[in-house]
Amino acid sequence: ADLVDVAERLQHEEIDAANSPDPEVSRKALEKLLEKNPLNAMLLSRLGASYRTDNPARSLEYYRQAAQIKPDSAEYALRYPAALVQARRFAEAGAILRQVVKRNPDNYVAHANLATALYEGKQYSEALPEYEWILAAKPDAVVAYYFIATAHDYLGEYPEALASYEKFLSLADAKTNQLEIDKVKLRLPSLQRQIKLGQGAKRKP
């Protein structure tokens, strides 16, 4: 009985340490628990989260392992590409996120991460339908209009860009979107001139 008590007490101590607000303490405990349970996706994911800001490469590896162990879990499947986006590895993130979206077509976070990966990877025409999906799912995601506008702008689709910039300005909140509002106001005069001059991508007949 004493041995059982000791084992239980040790396990409680390990779990308490794993939940410690001190990252040094929690990481050591999580790594110890992982040694005993190497195929535990939750432990791997917790370690991924712990290292995310100060050691992105290590975080990425933990998330990758968690996603491999539980490929059908949207939660684990999403954390790995989200970490790839943070590491600016957009092509890899995009490829994985397409699969996640296919398996979880209504998952807002998956679409949002895919939109970011495509946009940041300069795949603007592919990013557009993702931002449109986001707006359909969450009409108050006003900043999506800004990304739709800039994507059209980069593609030389100036009238569409102008319409989305104007829509963004009509809905944007100065508190949360001031930076984007300033950028749009700087861009609009030259964009309007370009449209008047008939510049931009020519529509296919």
Side-chain angles (χ1 to χ4, degrees):
D2 287 349
L3 277 174
V4 172
D5 287 349
V6 168
E8 277 184 5
R9 194 164 66 247
L10 279 172
Q11 202 164 351
H12 281 307
E13 281 172 12
E14 278 180 342
I15 289 164
D16 284 347
N19 290 323
S20 166
D22 181 341
E24 288 298 312
V25 175
S26 66
R27 282 171 191 173
K28 272 184 193 154
L30 286 164
E31 279 159 3
K32 266 189 191 167
L33 288 165
L34 188 63
E35 278 170 27
K36 296 175 192 172
N37 309 278
L39 297 178
N40 188 309
M42 185 200 65
L43 292 173
L44 287 161
S45 187
R46 286 275 305 276
L47 279 160
S50 175
Y51 282 106
R52 190 160 179 174
T53 48
D54 57 345
N55 192 337
R58 196 163 179 183
S59 164
L60 207 50
E61 181 52 26
Y62 281 127
Y63 279 138
R64 187 189 65 75
Q65 289 176 38
Q68 262 187 334
I69 290 163
K70 287 218 165 168
D72 295 329
S73 158
E75 182 191 350
Y76 298 127
L78 269 170
R79 285 180 185 170
Y80 176 44
L84 282 168
V85 167
Q86 196 177 356
R88 303 192 69 75
R89 287 162 61 177
F90 302 118
E92 288 168 80
I96 295 166
L97 284 159
R98 282 182 208 277
Q99 298 305 312
V100 177
V101 164
K102 226 178 249 178
R103 287 198 294 266
N104 308 274
D106 299 324
N107 189 303
Y108 182 87
V109 178
H111 282 280
N113 275 301
L114 179 55
T116 302
L118 292 169
Y119 182 93
E120 294 291 345
K122 298 183 167 48
Q123 293 176 271
Y124 301 116
S125 55
E126 292 171 56
L128 282 166
E130 292 305 317
Y131 284 116
E132 278 152 12
W133 185 96
I134 286 165
L135 278 172
K138 212 175 179 184
D140 61 344
V142 173
V143 78
Y145 285 110
Y146 172 79
F147 289 110
I148 288 170
T150 51
H152 281 305
D153 205 344
Y154 286 128
L155 291 165
E157 295 165 356
Y158 295 149
E160 293 87 343
L162 181 62
S164 291
Y165 280 135
E166 286 174 342
K167 181 80 173 167
F168 169 71
L169 286 179
S170 72
L171 297 168
D173 171 33
K175 275 199 211 84
T176 49
N177 305 117
Q178 192 56 55
L179 178 67
E180 291 84 2
I181 290 168
D182 290 345
K183 283 182 182 174
V184 173
K185 285 182 174 171
L186 272 174
R187 172 68 183 125
L188 283 186
S190 55
L191 177 63
Q192 284 159 338
R193 267 198 308 277
Q194 286 173 297
I195 291 170
K196 268 190 187 151
L197 293 168
Q199 293 175 356
K202 296 290 170 269
R203 290 208 164 270
K204 292 186 179 73

